[in-house]
Amino acid sequence: MKKLLTALFGAALILGACGGDEPTPAPAEPAPSETPADETAAGTFDATRAEAAYQSCIGCHGGDLQGQGNNPAITGLTAEEVLAAIQAGPGIMPANMVTGEEAENLAAWVAAQ
């Protein structure tokens, strides 16, 4: 029994040491946690996050940003104009429906459309 264990242990060492000439594959790079940021004259924005935030605006400004009913179109505005409107809430629009970095991201996205 002792000889069998010694032979198995020796074989395991020899087989373990023989790795061949194949290089060890490099670890896969982790997938990015966010979609890459788009960069335009309006600034850098994350389109996926902006489109998600825009869902609170779509009822008044429409899916094409052209406005619905008496609500204005928001195309052709600068990021600064959009951000000011988000913060101030002109007309019947509530102020600060989106805040902070999300508001800045949304404003850059709207301006780029």
Side-chain angles (χ1 to χ4, degrees), residues 69-91:
N70 293 331
N71 299 302
I74 54 174
T75 55
L77 301 174
T78 67
E80 292 77 19
E81 291 171 325
V82 175
L83 184 59
I86 291 171
Q87 293 169 338

Side-chain angles (χ1 to χ4, degrees), residues 3-107:
K3 288 183 184 181
L4 178 62
L5 287 176
T6 303
L8 287 174
F9 181 71
L13 283 177
I14 292 171
L15 290 174
C18 296
D21 290 338
E22 293 182 34
T24 304
E29 291 191 28
S33 60
E34 293 183 23
T35 42
D38 291 314
E39 199 165 323
T40 67
T44 303
F45 60 87
D46 180 328
T48 303
R49 285 180 31 225
E51 290 169 3
Y54 185 71
Q55 295 306 304
S56 63
C57 313
I58 204 166
C60 295
H61 298 291
D64 58 0
L65 290 82
Q66 294 300 314
Q68 292 185 1
N70 293 331
N71 299 302
I74 54 174
T75 55
L77 301 174
T78 67
E80 292 77 19
E81 291 171 325
V82 175
L83 184 59
I86 291 171
Q87 293 169 338
I92 62 169
M93 178 177 158
N96 295 313
M97 287 184 65
V98 181
T99 59
E101 288 181 18
E102 288 299 314
E104 292 172 13
N105 187 59
L106 177 59

